[in-house]
Amino acid sequence: MKASAAEGTGEEGTTPPADVAVAVPSAATGGPVSHAIFRVARTHRMIAGQLLRRVGLHPGQELVMMQLWELGPQRQADLVRLLDSDAATMARTVRRLEQAGFVRRYPCADDKRAYLIEATTASHALREQVESLWRQLEDATLGNLSPTEQADVLRVLEALESRLTRAAAQLGA
């Protein structure tokens, strides 16, 4: 496929038109599924970002909020583990959420070196909006697939995640 910048090349937040197949570059012919996963993940994240901007969040911040809404206050280290993140990324995310007024930090009574992160009252008003945006993202992702097809997609993705997690562990990642 040859596309001009006006048509969308998949670079810098644009995607090819929905009805145009993306050619797999010859360097990626040994991994067409991996190339497809990369494209799907990039497009999914772009749409998530557009939806989340409507409520003042960036991709990934909603996942932190979901954990806090579900589990209550958490140590930052626990959020790192729960979301398979790294300490520096989580520290930036929490700082930005705190600046936006969605979380607050306070010292942990059990561990003077740690802080607990807690969802604020303001963030609880955000929860319904995030849940709605998440449903919109799911609809954009699955469209008019039947419930059986949706279950198949989820099963395959879970199997791929499991395989990749084992591969990452073997690589020492």
Side-chain angles (χ1 to χ4, degrees):
M1 173 191 92
K2 211 171 180 182
S4 71
E7 294 170 328
T9 61
E11 297 299 318
E12 300 180 42
T14 63
T15 56
D19 59 346
V20 175
V22 174
V24 176
S26 60
T29 56
V33 170
S34 294
H35 191 261
I37 289 171
F38 174 82
R39 292 190 326 268
V40 167
R42 183 183 56 203
T43 304
H44 188 269
R45 185 174 174 85
M46 179 194 63
I47 293 170
Q50 290 173 349
L51 292 170
L52 289 165
R53 267 193 294 281
R54 296 176 186 174
V55 296
L57 294 175
H58 297 281
Q61 291 178 334
E62 85 282 14
L63 299 175
V64 171
M65 295 309 308
M66 287 176 183
Q67 291 297 331
L68 294 174
W69 292 325
E70 187 78 19
L71 302 173
Q74 298 291 306
R75 291 182 317 140
Q76 194 163 301
D78 295 330
L79 291 170
V80 166
R81 182 184 44 78
L82 285 166
L83 296 169
D84 195 24
S85 184
D86 62 80
T89 299
M90 188 58 66
R92 276 191 310 274
T93 300
V94 168
R95 185 177 59 251
R96 289 174 180 159
L97 287 169
E98 188 176 33
Q99 290 170 347
F102 297 134
V103 302
R104 73 178 192 98
R105 282 190 274 194
Y106 58 92
C108 180
D110 302 351
D111 182 352
K112 297 298 180 200
R113 298 168 299 160
Y115 283 86
L116 288 174
I117 314 302
E118 176 180 54
T120 62
T121 303
S123 80
H124 289 287
L126 182 69
R127 183 175 181 163
E128 283 184 34
Q129 294 173 321
V130 168
E131 289 173 354
S132 174
L133 294 174
W134 206 250
R135 283 189 297 273
Q136 290 175 44
L137 183 59
E138 189 81 352
D139 187 52
T141 303
L142 298 173
N144 59 2
L145 294 180
S146 72
T148 300
E149 291 169 321
Q150 291 179 28
D152 289 345
V153 168
L154 183 58
R155 181 183 47 73
V156 169
L157 288 172
E158 288 170 343
L160 290 173
E161 179 184 24
S162 178
R163 290 178 60 82
L164 290 171
T165 299
R166 285 193 306 274
Q170 290 174 350
L171 293 171

